[in-house]
């Protein structure tokens, strides 16, 4: 599909603090980013406003939506949305993940939380919210929310991530202080 590219992981940082992109070995999905005014589209704007009401955190703390596409056989191995180096960013670490399912999947494609013995079946319109940090210490990783996208067996899985930071993400990202360079 147009706009989707093979998912990458964050590699090493250069002298300017920009993160290198490396083709992921742990995830085989494709993704696209909601950039260039995408967040001003009325439907997207209304979704953002609904998320703001749920989490009670302003949109300025959100990364732009990452839209995901998983075809049969594609997956994302167990991982965590918090990384220790995030505490050094002006926006602070990712504190919450708001995950939206944009399609039904005929078989497979569940989001699994192995340490919680929990699997959530993709269903269009369903959303998940989980913490990446401890509620009593937002600079420390919540160890129970390691998660994975199990392989899609039949059908197409479309979803979107809204990663929410401790502090304003938009201003530091605009000035290149989040490690992103695109």
């Amino acid at each position: 599909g147009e706009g989707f590219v093979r998912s990458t992981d964050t590699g090493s940082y250069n002298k300017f603090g920009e993160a290198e992109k490396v083709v992921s070995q742990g995830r085989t999905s494709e993704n696209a980013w909601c950039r260039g005014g995408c967040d001003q589209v009325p439907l997207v704007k209304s979704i953002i406003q609904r998320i703001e009401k749920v989490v009670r955190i302003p949109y300025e703390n959100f990364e732009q939506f990452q839209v995901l596409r998983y075809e049969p056989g594609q997956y994302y191995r167990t991982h965590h949305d918090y990384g220790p180096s995030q505490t050094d960013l002006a926006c602070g670490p990712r504190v919450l993940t708001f995950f939206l399912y944009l399609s039904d999947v005929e078989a497979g494609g569940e989001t699994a939380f192995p340490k919680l013995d929990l699997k959530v079946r993709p269903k269009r319109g369903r959303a998940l919210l989980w913490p990446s940090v401890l509620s009593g210490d937002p600079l420390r990783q919540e160890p129970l929310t390691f998660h994975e996208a199990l392989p899609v067996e039949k059908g197409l899985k479309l979803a979107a991530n809204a990663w929410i930071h401790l502090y304003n993400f938009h201003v530091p990202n605009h000035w290149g202080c989040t490690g992103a360079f695109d």
Side-chain angles (χ1 to χ4, degrees):
E2 195 173 319
F4 285 91
V5 296
R6 177 73 159 69
S7 294
T8 58
D9 289 330
T10 301
S12 57
Y13 289 85
N14 67 20
K15 66 181 182 179
F16 303 109
E18 299 168 332
E20 173 190 19
K21 291 181 179 181
V22 293
V23 173
S24 179
Q25 300 305 309
R27 70 175 150 176
T28 57
S29 60
E30 294 179 311
N31 68 52
W33 293 92
C34 180
R35 295 190 175 131
C38 167
D39 60 357
Q40 296 305 306
V41 171
L43 176 62
V44 175
K45 207 171 185 173
S46 72
I47 292 168
I48 291 166
Q49 290 167 347
R50 290 177 71 185
I51 295 171
E52 283 179 310
K53 284 181 185 175
V54 170
V55 299
R56 297 182 179 155
I57 298 173
Y59 179 58
E60 66 191 20
N61 291 35
F62 295 27
E63 291 183 39
Q64 287 78 13
F65 282 117
Q66 179 190 51
V67 182
L68 302 160
R69 182 174 67 190
Y70 291 85
E71 295 186 6
Q74 292 184 321
Y75 58 84
Y76 192 175
R77 297 285 184 242
T78 303
H79 65 284
H80 205 285
D81 295 336
Y82 169 97
S85 63
Q86 294 174 5
T87 60
D88 297 331
L89 299 174
C91 57
R94 291 173 173 167
V95 294
L96 295 171
T97 298
F98 202 101
F99 191 80
L100 302 121
Y101 293 102
L102 306 176
S103 68
D104 293 319
V105 178
E106 292 178 61
E110 298 90 352
T111 302
F113 294 83
K115 293 184 176 189
L116 296 171
D117 194 28
L118 175 69
K119 290 181 185 175
V120 179
R121 186 175 53 86
K123 181 170 175 44
R124 184 180 176 166
R126 182 175 282 166
L128 298 176
L129 174 66
W130 65 84
S132 293
V133 297
L134 297 172
S135 59
D137 186 351
L139 298 179
R140 290 192 45 222
Q141 183 182 74
E142 167 54 74
L144 297 176
T145 55
F146 279 87
H147 55 282
E148 63 183 319
L150 297 175
V152 169
E153 296 168 21
K154 187 175 181 186
L156 178 69
K157 177 181 174 180
L158 296 171
N161 282 314
W163 288 302
I164 303 168
H165 286 261
L166 185 58
Y167 307 116
N168 184 313
F169 177 84
H170 292 190
V171 171
N173 192 56
H174 175 78
W175 293 104
C177 301
T178 60
F181 56 91
D182 60 339

